[in-house]
Amino acid sequence: MAADRTKAESELVAGARDLLAGKARAARVRLLNATKADPGWGLPHALQSRVYLDLGDGLIAETEARRAIELGVPANRVNHLIAHALLLQGSPKLALAEAEEARVAPRFSGYASRIRATALYRLNQFEPAAREFDRAIALAPNARGLWTDVGTFRFEVGNIAAATQAAQNAIRIDKRDVRANIL
Protein backbone atom coordinates (compact mmCIF):
# COMPACT_ATOMS: atom_id res chain seq x y z
CA MET A 1 0.00 0.00 0.00
CA ALA A 2 1.40 3.40 -1.01
CA ALA A 3 1.61 6.19 1.49
CA ASP A 4 -1.15 8.78 1.21
CA ARG A 5 0.46 11.93 2.60
CA THR A 6 -2.54 14.11 1.73
CA LYS A 7 -4.90 11.94 3.79
CA ALA A 8 -2.28 11.70 6.56
CA GLU A 9 -1.91 15.48 6.66
CA SER A 10 -5.68 15.96 6.78
CA GLU A 11 -6.02 13.49 9.67
CA LEU A 12 -3.03 15.05 11.45
CA VAL A 13 -4.56 18.52 11.30
CA ALA A 14 -7.91 17.22 12.56
CA GLY A 15 -6.17 15.25 15.31
CA ALA A 16 -4.15 18.28 16.39
CA ARG A 17 -7.37 20.32 16.58
CA ASP A 18 -9.00 17.65 18.72
CA LEU A 19 -5.95 17.49 20.97
CA LEU A 20 -5.95 21.27 21.48
CA ALA A 21 -9.68 21.13 22.23
CA GLY A 22 -9.05 18.55 24.96
CA LYS A 23 -10.62 15.70 22.98
CA ALA A 24 -7.83 13.16 23.42
CA ARG A 25 -9.84 10.11 22.40
CA ALA A 26 -10.99 11.70 19.15
CA ALA A 27 -7.43 12.89 18.49
CA ARG A 28 -6.14 9.36 19.04
CA VAL A 29 -8.41 8.01 16.29
CA ARG A 30 -7.47 10.78 13.85
CA LEU A 31 -3.77 10.33 14.46
CA LEU A 32 -4.06 6.56 14.13
CA ASN A 33 -5.66 7.20 10.74
CA ALA A 34 -2.73 9.48 9.86
CA THR A 35 -0.17 6.82 10.78
CA LYS A 36 -2.06 4.24 8.71
CA ALA A 37 -2.25 6.59 5.72
CA ASP A 38 1.50 7.29 5.83
CA PRO A 39 3.31 4.76 8.03
CA GLY A 40 6.72 6.31 7.37
CA TRP A 41 5.86 9.78 8.67
CA GLY A 42 7.03 10.50 12.21
CA LEU A 43 5.02 13.59 13.10
CA PRO A 44 1.70 11.79 13.71
CA HIS A 45 3.54 9.48 16.11
CA ALA A 46 4.90 12.47 18.04
CA LEU A 47 1.39 13.90 18.40
CA GLN A 48 0.04 10.47 19.27
CA SER A 49 2.58 10.40 22.11
CA ARG A 50 1.09 13.64 23.43
CA VAL A 51 -2.40 12.15 23.19
CA TYR A 52 -1.41 9.10 25.24
CA LEU A 53 0.13 11.39 27.85
CA ASP A 54 -3.23 13.12 28.14
CA LEU A 55 -4.85 9.70 28.49
CA GLY A 56 -2.37 8.75 31.23
CA ASP A 57 -0.67 5.90 29.36
CA GLY A 58 3.06 6.48 29.76
CA LEU A 59 4.15 3.23 28.15
CA ILE A 60 2.38 3.79 24.84
CA ALA A 61 3.31 7.49 24.93
CA GLU A 62 6.98 6.56 25.23
CA THR A 63 6.67 3.98 22.44
CA GLU A 64 5.04 6.52 20.11
CA ALA A 65 7.68 9.19 20.85
CA ARG A 66 10.52 6.74 20.21
CA ARG A 67 8.82 5.64 16.98
CA ALA A 68 8.65 9.30 15.91
CA ILE A 69 12.43 9.55 16.39
CA GLU A 70 12.97 6.35 14.37
CA LEU A 71 10.96 7.95 11.56
CA GLY A 72 13.02 11.15 11.51
CA VAL A 73 11.56 13.51 14.09
CA PRO A 74 14.52 15.17 15.86
CA ALA A 75 14.93 13.76 19.37
CA ASN A 76 15.02 17.23 20.92
CA ARG A 77 11.42 17.72 19.73
CA VAL A 78 10.09 14.70 21.63
CA ASN A 79 12.46 14.18 24.58
CA HIS A 80 10.14 16.21 26.82
CA LEU A 81 7.34 13.78 25.90
CA ILE A 82 9.54 10.79 26.67
CA ALA A 83 10.41 12.39 30.03
CA HIS A 84 6.72 12.87 30.81
CA ALA A 85 6.02 9.26 29.80
CA LEU A 86 8.79 8.03 32.09
CA LEU A 87 7.32 10.08 34.92
CA LEU A 88 3.93 8.45 34.35
CA GLN A 89 5.67 5.09 34.50
CA GLY A 90 7.08 5.91 37.94
CA SER A 91 10.67 6.67 36.91
CA PRO A 92 11.39 10.24 38.06
CA LYS A 93 15.19 9.84 37.85
CA LEU A 94 15.00 8.71 34.23
CA ALA A 95 12.47 11.48 33.49
CA LEU A 96 14.80 14.08 34.99
CA ALA A 97 17.66 12.92 32.78
CA GLU A 98 15.49 12.85 29.65
CA ALA A 99 14.16 16.38 30.30
CA GLU A 100 17.59 18.00 30.68
CA GLU A 101 17.52 21.43 29.10
CA ALA A 102 20.22 20.55 26.55
CA ARG A 103 18.15 17.59 25.30
CA VAL A 104 14.99 19.62 24.59
CA ALA A 105 14.27 22.10 21.79
CA PRO A 106 13.89 25.65 23.17
CA ARG A 107 10.20 25.86 22.23
CA PHE A 108 9.50 22.98 24.66
CA SER A 109 11.56 24.40 27.55
CA GLY A 110 8.51 25.27 29.65
CA TYR A 111 7.07 21.78 29.28
CA ALA A 112 10.43 20.17 30.11
CA SER A 113 10.81 22.45 33.11
CA ARG A 114 7.41 21.32 34.40
CA ILE A 115 8.46 17.69 34.03
CA ARG A 116 11.78 18.33 35.79
CA ALA A 117 9.92 20.07 38.62
CA THR A 118 7.50 17.19 39.04
CA ALA A 119 10.36 14.66 38.95
CA LEU A 120 12.29 16.63 41.59
CA TYR A 121 9.18 16.82 43.75
CA ARG A 122 8.69 13.07 43.51
CA LEU A 123 12.33 12.63 44.52
CA ASN A 124 11.61 14.76 47.65
CA GLN A 125 13.81 17.60 46.40
CA PHE A 126 11.34 20.33 47.29
CA GLU A 127 13.44 23.50 46.97
CA PRO A 128 14.79 22.63 43.50
CA ALA A 129 11.27 21.56 42.51
CA ALA A 130 9.85 24.93 43.60
CA ARG A 131 12.49 26.79 41.56
CA GLU A 132 11.82 24.62 38.54
CA PHE A 133 8.04 25.17 38.82
CA ASP A 134 8.70 28.93 38.98
CA ARG A 135 10.79 28.62 35.83
CA ALA A 136 8.04 26.63 34.09
CA ILE A 137 5.52 29.33 35.02
CA ALA A 138 7.81 32.03 33.64
CA LEU A 139 8.32 30.13 30.37
CA ALA A 140 4.77 28.88 29.72
CA PRO A 141 2.24 30.44 32.12
CA ASN A 142 -0.80 29.25 30.15
CA ALA A 143 0.27 25.67 29.48
CA ARG A 144 -2.39 23.02 30.07
CA GLY A 145 -1.55 20.90 33.09
CA LEU A 146 1.12 23.20 34.50
CA TRP A 147 -0.99 24.89 37.14
CA THR A 148 -2.51 21.59 38.24
CA ASP A 149 0.98 20.22 38.87
CA VAL A 150 1.98 23.45 40.62
CA GLY A 151 -1.13 23.34 42.77
CA THR A 152 -0.60 19.71 43.72
CA PHE A 153 2.98 20.48 44.71
CA ARG A 154 2.01 23.55 46.71
CA PHE A 155 -0.76 21.65 48.47
CA GLU A 156 1.63 18.82 49.39
CA VAL A 157 4.16 21.25 50.89
CA GLY A 158 1.41 22.92 52.92
CA ASN A 159 0.90 26.17 51.00
CA ILE A 160 -2.89 25.91 50.75
CA ALA A 161 -3.52 29.50 49.61
CA ALA A 162 -1.03 29.17 46.75
CA ALA A 163 -2.46 25.75 45.87
CA THR A 164 -5.95 27.24 45.67
CA GLN A 165 -4.72 30.04 43.41
CA ALA A 166 -2.93 27.52 41.20
CA ALA A 167 -6.11 25.43 40.91
CA GLN A 168 -8.06 28.54 39.90
CA ASN A 169 -5.44 29.31 37.24
CA ALA A 170 -5.67 25.73 35.95
CA ILE A 171 -9.46 25.93 35.68
CA ARG A 172 -9.22 29.30 33.91
CA ILE A 173 -7.01 27.63 31.28
CA ASP A 174 -9.01 24.41 31.02
CA LYS A 175 -12.41 24.17 32.70
CA ARG A 176 -12.48 20.42 32.02
CA ASP A 177 -9.24 19.73 33.95
CA VAL A 178 -10.54 17.10 36.36
CA ARG A 179 -7.41 17.16 38.53
CA ALA A 180 -7.69 20.96 38.93
CA ASN A 181 -11.35 20.72 39.87
CA ILE A 182 -10.54 18.07 42.49
CA LEU A 183 -7.66 20.17 43.82
Side-chain angles (χ1 to χ4, degrees), residues 170-183:
I171 292 167
R172 175 183 49 79
I173 293 166
D174 183 1
K175 290 175 181 35
R176 295 178 311 263
D177 185 333
V178 173
R179 290 182 28 213
N181 281 291
I182 291 170
L183 182 64

Side-chain angles (χ1 to χ4, degrees), residues 76 79-80 83 93-105 108-109 112-113 115-116 132 135:
N76 70 349
N79 282 342
H80 61 293
K93 286 182 183 177
L94 293 175
L96 199 54
E98 197 69 40
E100 285 179 7
E101 192 168 351
R103 295 179 55 93
V104 177
F108 304 115
S109 292
S113 197
I115 299 306
R116 285 192 304 270
E132 202 64 52
R135 184 170 189 273

Side-chain angles (χ1 to χ4, degrees), residues 7-8 12 18 34 38 50 52 66 69 71 87 104 125 151 162 167:
K7 177 175 171 57
L12 178 99
D18 287 340
D38 190 347
R50 185 66 181 90
Y52 280 104
R66 293 195 189 281
I69 293 169
L71 293 172
L87 200 56
V104 177
Q125 297 179 27

